[in-house]
Amino acid sequence: MVLRWALAFFAVLGGFSVAGVLGSLATGFAGFWHLPGAGFSAALAVVVVAYLAAPSHKLRAAIAALVFGAIAAWLLLEPSFYPENYGDRGAYEPTHLPIIATYTGGLLGLLVAAIIGRWAGPNNSFKPKPHSRSA
């Protein structure tokens, strides 16, 4: 069981890295500031991958990933300042945009994890529950 949790931890780290880089590249190519996009993508991936990779207590693992990720994001992203080339804003003005985007991604990830959990069958296969028909 310890090996499974260790593998889940490394899966979360891998998801964080890949999603953060891809989110940064995507927002950079779209012409936006890369930091909020990277934070949003990384947080979303961390929570969803934590849910999917956890061998047991999946929703608790996703919530724990959200809480620990939120603390880490706060330590890394606050305070944040606009970059030199950010539109009509002055360079180096303080902003909360990166932390807001990161927290939004984490909360959306938790919502996705809850939806996956709702639709997963007892053996974690995706089988929609039949709707009850009232006559």
Side-chain angles (χ1 to χ4, degrees):
M1 184 61 78
V2 173
L3 178 62
R4 287 179 161 184
W5 280 105
L7 290 174
F9 176 75
F10 287 115
V12 168
L13 286 180
F16 167 77
S17 301
V18 170
V21 168
L22 292 177
S24 177
L25 290 173
T27 52
F29 285 139
F32 298 109
W33 184 19
H34 70 92
L35 194 57
F40 179 89
S41 302
L44 178 89
V46 162
V47 174
V48 172
V49 170
Y51 178 83
L52 294 173
S56 62
H57 306 291
K58 291 182 174 290
L59 193 57
R60 289 182 187 170
I63 293 170
L66 177 67
V67 169
F68 288 124
I71 293 168
W74 182 265
L75 294 174
L76 291 171
L77 295 174
E78 282 296 316
S80 291
F81 300 93
Y82 285 107
E84 287 182 29
N85 57 354
Y86 194 71
D88 59 348
R89 292 282 186 170
Y92 306 112
E93 285 188 29
T95 180
H96 299 292
L97 185 61
I99 196 75
I100 291 169
T102 302
Y103 286 174
T104 302
L107 291 172
L108 182 62
L110 190 60
L111 178 65
V112 168
I115 290 170
I116 291 171
R118 178 102 169 126
W119 285 94
N123 61 353
N124 289 329
S125 62
F126 294 101
K127 297 177 184 173
K129 297 179 176 88
H131 296 285
S132 61
R133 297 181 186 205
S134 56

